Amino acid sequence: MQKFKFLINNEWVDASSGKTYQVLDPSKNEPIAEVALADKEDVDRAVKAAREAFNKGVWSELDGDERAEYMLKAAELMRKRTKELAKWETLECGKPISESEDIDMPYSIRAMEYFANQAREIKGEVIPIPGGYAFDYVTYEPYGVVGSIVPWNFPLHLATRTLCPAVATGNSVVLKPSSFTPITAILLGEIILEAGFPPGVVNIISGPGDTAGNAMLSHPDINMISFTGSLEVGRKVLEASAKPRIKKVILELGGKGPFIAEADCNIDGAVNSLIVGFCLEQGEVCCASTRLFLHEKIYKEFMEKLVARAKSLKLGETMDPTTQMGALISRTQLEKVDGCVKEAIRDGAKLVCGGEKLNVSPFNKGNYYKPTILENVTNDMRCAQEEIFGPVLVVIRYKELEEAIKQANDTVYGLAATIWSENIKTLYWAAKKLDAGTVWMNTNVMSKIEAPYGGNKDSGLGREDGTIGLKEYLKVKNNILFVGKEYDNFYDFK
Ligand code: NAD
């Protein structure tokens, strides 16, 4: 079995405790690799290396152009190793190989390239001051050491989404992937090394959230935390990051995405995009469309087409390029999803399809769950309010768009929302009223590294991606230079 260590200060090291753990393939629940297991001491080592790199200025004081060159080299190496990275992504995450190759890898490489070029573009601003006695200019500076904590559903994409803007802006980074999926992040470490990044700029450790992750939150030498994960842990992150010193925090948390299908929508297109919305990555997607608000006039036709598509999806061997859905991340997650569906049925929902594990050999060894649709659901039921994080869609029938929008917004989450209609005015006004960080109109689950991504309400704080996301990794300094002729006359303190 392949063994993986941590990257600290450009060296491959074992955990201080010497401990390791096994990473499982969710499609078989068999071990695929042995990885060093970080604890607080390893976090301290990684942060020390990152701090020294930052303070020496070996990265933070380079020209943006120079940082860009290292990052472009890394992107080129990622491209060369795409097949290998995609294979590991599928092995550790349980997603179909076609998703790893067609979504995760292109997004991750694009992040490296896009933010490399953004490193050249970091500019300040000049503020006009009335009277002309002061030259006021604003500069953007790196925070110092950024701690990036990411989950398991898009391991390399989410790792690069935070690591790339962090280093493009001159910060040093300690990256902690989920302990379920550390391998592609560690392979990224090999790429960073080969691309020639100076020691300590990027450090990668793997370990459980409540020990290694928690040690990062309260570390006095980390200046900023970029956290992607669940709402429950996000709350802890916000609290723990306030001590012993206040840290800048970005939170990218969960969602319960509404999908509104108006009576005049293109039904085939909408069905297609909704299937992606709740079945991509086995439904383990933060911005998944998991609540369908379906206009009563098209209810029957829409449901027939939707159910037929859901039943036709191919679950199976994750390395088979024709497989459309793989396995959930763990047995625990599988049982959680199944439990949520059973509870919804007890609460009065009607099971339209799915609602069960894939109980055929050899897939019964893995964590497979069939695409599941529940109707007769009301928006106040738990299955309509809580993030299930599996391929489960609840359907709510409506008559008036205003009522659908009201219910769509009636959740603690506000990550993404979708609406389909052929009327541009309907789309425009609905988008204005939907309380979400992203609104998709006649498309779905489309996010681009160039555009800001993040949530309203309990779905998070701040934004990743695009130039708006880049600025999250920079602190603002206002600089005021007195250029008037007679300083004394201005400040009359005599
Ligand atoms: P999680 O919150 O359990 O874990 C996320 C990361 O936090 C992991 O690296 C984990 O080890 C770490 N962690 C756990 N407990 C910690 C603690 N006490 N202190 C510090 N770190 C800790 O989430 P998950 O199960 O890995 O991922 C699924 C969740 O992530 C879902 O809620 C999903 O919606 C969300 N998500 C959000 C986005 C987004 O962009 N908004 C993207 C992907 C996933």
Side-chain angles (χ1 to χ4, degrees):
M1 202 183 332
Q2 205 157 331
K3 293 188 177 170
F4 294 96
K5 299 184 179 197
F6 305 144
L7 182 66
I8 296 180
N9 215 20
N10 278 9
E11 283 173 16
W12 292 108
V13 297
D14 290 313
S16 316
S17 65
K19 285 187 188 161
T20 61
Y21 72 103
Q22 290 186 334
V23 173
L24 303 182
D25 169 357
S27 72
K28 300 187 174 74
N29 284 314
E30 284 169 3
I32 50 169
E34 193 177 326
V35 179
L37 182 78
D39 59 19
K40 187 177 174 306
E41 213 172 305
D42 303 303
V43 170
D44 286 343
R45 288 197 290 167
V47 175
K48 187 167 178 273
R51 171 57 55 198
E52 277 175 14
F54 186 78
N55 287 354
K56 280 186 203 151
V58 290
W59 184 255
S60 54
E61 288 171 20
L62 291 185
D63 280 349
D65 262 355
E66 288 177 90
R67 291 199 296 269
E69 291 310 320
Y70 286 102
M71 292 179 72
L72 289 175
K73 175 83 181 139
E76 188 189 316
L77 294 167
M78 287 170 83
R79 211 177 285 287
K80 280 194 187 141
R81 293 177 67 174
T82 299
K83 286 267 171 209
E84 178 198 359
L85 289 166
K87 181 197 83 177
W88 279 109
E89 193 88 323
T90 283
L91 277 177
E92 63 181 343
C93 189
K95 65 176 77 195
I97 188 70
S98 59
E99 274 181 30
S100 296
E101 285 181 353
D102 299 342
I103 299 174
D104 298 66
M105 294 311 124
Y107 266 71
S108 308
I109 296 167
R110 177 75 188 132
M112 195 60 89
E113 286 172 348
Y114 172 79
F115 286 113
N117 289 318
Q118 288 299 323
R120 309 179 201 271
E121 300 291 331
I122 298 164
K123 306 185 193 71
E125 284 158 49
V126 174
I127 310 288
I129 299 293
Y133 49 78
F135 177 63
D136 190 321
Y137 61 102
V138 173
T139 47
Y140 292 90
E141 298 174 356
Y143 276 92
V145 177
V146 174
S148 294
I149 302 177
V150 293
W152 43 258
N153 56 341
F154 293 92
L156 194 61
H157 158 51
L158 296 173
T160 48
R161 185 178 79 170
T162 164
L163 184 135
C164 298
V167 294
T169 44
N171 296 285
S172 304
V173 176
V174 176
L175 170 69
K176 192 199 86 59
S178 163
S179 47
F180 287 109
T181 54
I183 298 170
T184 47
I186 294 173
L187 294 177
L188 181 65
E190 291 182 7
I191 287 167
I192 295 280
L193 262 186
E194 198 182 335
F197 281 58
V201 175
V202 175
N203 305 276
I204 301 168
I205 54 169
S206 171
D210 49 8
T211 50
N214 203 40
M216 288 169 71
L217 305 180
S218 53
H219 203 293
D221 235 359
I222 291 185
N223 307 98
M224 169 175 173
I225 294 283
S226 162
F227 173 82
T228 305
S230 61
L231 168 58
E232 187 194 346
V233 178
R235 287 189 206 283
K236 290 186 194 162
V237 171
L238 201 52
E239 217 178 302
S241 303
K243 286 180 186 165
R245 286 161 56 189
I246 301 273
K247 295 181 180 61
K248 157 83 188 248
V249 176
I250 307 181
L251 297 177
E252 295 287 350
L253 309 177
K256 192 75 187 173
F259 184 110
I260 301 175
E262 270 281 83
D264 67 348
C265 76
N266 169 344
I267 294 184
D268 291 332
V271 164
N272 218 359
S273 84
L274 180 56
I275 288 285
V276 177
F278 85 100
C279 294
L280 179 77
E281 171 71 23
Q282 303 77 244
E284 297 166 316
V285 178
C286 51
C287 59
S289 309
T290 48
R291 290 181 297 151
L292 167 62
F293 293 92
L294 183 52
H295 197 283
E296 60 176 17
K297 279 194 190 149
I298 55 166
Y299 196 91
K300 193 163 172 289
E301 182 188 349
F302 196 106
M303 284 299 281
E304 277 168 11
K305 289 185 167 166
L306 180 67
V307 174
R309 279 296 310 276
K311 283 184 177 168
S312 75
L313 291 179
K314 184 178 169 197
L315 280 74
E317 172 55 52
T318 52
M319 285 299 170
D320 177 346
T322 65
T323 292
Q324 291 168 305
M325 278 176 72
L328 298 177
I329 190 71
S330 64
R331 272 278 151 193
T332 313
Q333 186 64 14
L334 179 71
E335 296 306 335
K336 184 196 153 201
V337 170
D338 194 43
C340 290
V341 171
K342 292 207 161 81
E343 183 193 280
I345 295 168
R346 278 198 303 275
D347 289 347
K350 183 179 154 211
L351 183 67
V352 185
C353 66
E356 57 180 352
K357 301 168 192 167
L358 191 57
N359 276 327
V360 271
S361 180
F363 304 117
N364 51 356
K365 285 196 194 147
N367 313 318
Y368 290 87
Y369 203 76
K370 291 186 183 175
T372 299
I373 301 178
L374 296 160
E375 57 180 1
N376 282 359
V377 171
T378 52
N379 197 47
D380 55 353
M381 285 164 67
R382 248 173 83 163
C383 61
Q385 289 293 324
E386 287 182 13
E387 189 182 44
I388 296 174
F389 231 51
V392 182
L393 175 75
V394 302
V395 187
I396 299 170
R397 189 191 288 253
Y398 77 90
K399 219 182 213 172
E400 301 295 338
L401 179 58
E402 214 164 300
E403 180 55 23
I405 292 174
K406 199 170 150 209
Q407 292 189 72
N409 287 337
D410 186 13
T411 151
V412 297
Y413 294 111
L415 189 56
T418 308
I419 176 158
W420 276 71
S421 165
E422 289 298 288
N423 184 330
I424 194 158
K425 283 191 184 170
T426 302
L427 296 174
Y428 176 82
W429 288 108
K432 260 183 104 71
K433 287 179 187 164
L434 285 163
D435 191 356
T438 298
V439 177
W440 289 297
M441 291 165 273
N442 293 345
T443 180
N444 204 16
V445 191
M446 184 203 253
S447 89
K448 293 285 168 198
I449 224 76
E450 297 79 1
Y453 182 85
N456 298 348
K457 300 192 278 182
D458 287 2
S459 286
L461 271 185
R463 294 291 182 264
E464 295 281 7
D465 291 342
T467 50
I468 293 174
L470 186 87
K471 278 202 174 160
E472 297 274 8
Y473 292 84
L474 290 162
K475 56 189 181 189
V476 179
K477 181 179 280 173
N478 188 33
N479 308 272
I480 305 172
L481 175 67
F482 183 77
V483 291
K485 282 191 187 139
E486 293 181 58
Y487 178 82
D488 284 352
N489 287 349
F490 174 61
Y491 284 115
D492 199 7
F493 286 159
K494 289 169 201 156

